[in-house]
Amino acid sequence: MSAPVTALMWEARAAEGRGDDLLDWARARAAELPRIPLRSELLRAPQDRVLVITWWRGGYADELPELPEPDQDLVTRPVHRWRFESLGAEFDDRP
């Protein structure tokens, strides 16, 4: 049996005019995590929202490296965080 994998999702909305700053901040903080995740993705959405997803070997309740809260002047609200237990990947290769 393989070890569990947990995905951590971190999402924030930038303060007015600070979308690129938040994106740069998140990219830098992800690079500074104390361990290298199995996988990571940095995504952008309308309204200057930034999403970072990292996948870690470990269970849902394990202590895993997370991105910190950015300075309050960079965001419009507290960061949203979610954890998901991976159940495996399935791909549809239809055209």
Side-chain angles (χ1 to χ4, degrees):
M1 180 181 224
S2 63
V5 172
T6 300
L8 304 183
M9 295 178 65
W10 177 102
E11 186 265 342
R13 184 172 175 196
E16 183 71 33
R18 304 287 311 269
D20 288 338
D21 295 334
L22 180 59
L23 191 60
D24 291 343
W25 182 94
R27 182 179 286 116
R29 297 302 80 72
E32 295 171 355
L33 289 169
R35 298 189 338 235
I36 297 172
L38 296 171
R39 177 181 171 194
S40 65
E41 281 194 54
L42 178 64
L43 301 104
R44 170 186 266 171
Q47 301 177 330
D48 286 330
R49 289 178 292 140
V50 173
L51 174 66
V52 178
I53 308 172
T54 54
W55 285 261
W56 301 94
R57 191 154 321 281
Y60 188 87
D62 289 351
E63 188 170 324
L64 301 168
E66 295 202 42
L67 270 66
E69 291 280 333
D71 291 337
Q72 289 183 352
D73 67 330
L74 192 55
V75 293
T76 61
R77 58 167 168 72
V79 168
H80 292 173
R81 299 171 189 273
W82 302 273
R83 284 183 177 224
F84 292 89
E85 179 182 13
S86 176
L87 301 176
E90 294 183 27
F91 298 95
D92 183 353
D93 59 356
R94 289 179 275 181

